Amino acid sequence: MKKSRTVITVLFAGLTTLAAGGPALSESEPVPTEPLALRKIMQDMGREMGIIAEAISREAWDVVGKSALRIADHPRPPMSERMKIMSLFGKEMGRFKEHDMKTHDIARRLKDAAAHEDAPAVISTFAALQRSCLECHRSFRKPFQEHFYGKRVTE
Ligand code: HEC
């Protein structure tokens, strides 16, 4: 009994947060100034991609492997944020997650190719990784930013 009440309280807290982040409020209320945790995670992955591109030129396969692994194991946003994202994408959430899993898988393949010092495989897998990032961005970035940041798209 006590346990189920706790669950309800937690769910309700999540819903309240959802309502506070929703687009209806952002018209009258100031848009939250704190970017979501996902943005920081994305920025870190973007940095790793730069490191990989540079390391390929130096044939520094260990560096490629380490960065690929950091992308494959990138942290997830906190639960409260994941709930907001789920509620935004609704039925599309499955596709969003597929993009995420694909990126993880390809990053692991890139790590393996780097471990084998297989330069052509590293280069083609790196290209596939970039494509997997782009595919998710093309489908989801715009609605994500419009929902969470309103018109203040980037800074
Ligand atoms: C499952 C979907 C998804 C995948 C896969 C994905 N991203 Fe993103 N990415 C997003 C979303 C959503 C945003 C918008 C976040 C925001 O504006 O706060 C974003 C934004 C970014 C940004 C811009 C951050 C900023 O400061 O505005 C970078 C850089 C980025 N992603 C890098 C990557 C890289 C590199 C990969 C692949 C290794 C990748 N992303 C894969 C969903 C994804």
Side-chain angles (χ1 to χ4, degrees):
M1 192 53 200
K2 184 150 189 289
K3 197 173 169 205
S4 66
R5 201 175 324 132
T6 316
V7 171
I8 289 166
T9 314
V10 170
L11 274 178
F12 184 71
L15 288 175
T16 316
T17 327
L18 284 177
L25 274 178
S26 65
E27 261 138 44
S28 49
E29 299 280 317
V31 178
T33 47
E34 273 295 293
L36 273 73
L38 187 79
R39 181 170 288 180
K40 164 82 172 52
I41 294 168
M42 288 293 157
Q43 286 167 349
D44 288 346
M45 292 212 291
R47 221 171 357 254
E48 299 296 351
M49 293 297 274
I51 292 172
I52 292 171
E54 194 268 344
I56 290 173
S57 316
R58 289 189 292 118
E59 296 170 67
W61 309 122
D62 56 328
V63 177
V64 173
K66 278 183 196 145
S67 286
L69 196 61
R70 277 196 286 270
I71 291 173
D73 293 343
H74 75 77
R76 302 206 296 177
M79 183 60 187
S80 58
E81 187 172 309
R82 295 211 302 276
M83 279 180 67
K84 288 186 208 171
I85 296 172
M86 270 182 239
S87 120
L88 168 64
F89 290 137
K91 285 208 304 282
E92 294 293 296
M93 196 60 201
R95 268 205 324 126
F96 186 81
K97 282 192 174 149
E98 267 169 37
H99 281 299
D100 184 45
M101 275 156 55
K102 193 169 166 194
T103 295
H104 283 272
D105 289 348
I106 298 174
R108 290 210 165 267
R109 271 173 28 216
L110 178 57
K111 189 211 73 174
D112 292 342
H116 291 108
E117 308 197 352
D118 183 345
V122 166
I123 289 169
S124 61
T125 314
F126 182 54
L129 184 59
Q130 286 181 312
R131 216 162 18 243
S132 81
C133 311
L134 182 71
E135 279 166 10
C136 188
H137 294 157
R138 286 237 162 123
S139 309
F140 291 102
R141 189 196 323 235
K142 199 161 176 278
F144 185 96
Q145 291 185 332
E146 280 172 1
H147 178 79
F148 290 114
Y149 300 112
K151 291 202 170 65
R152 278 182 342 104
V153 168
T154 42
E155 57 229 37

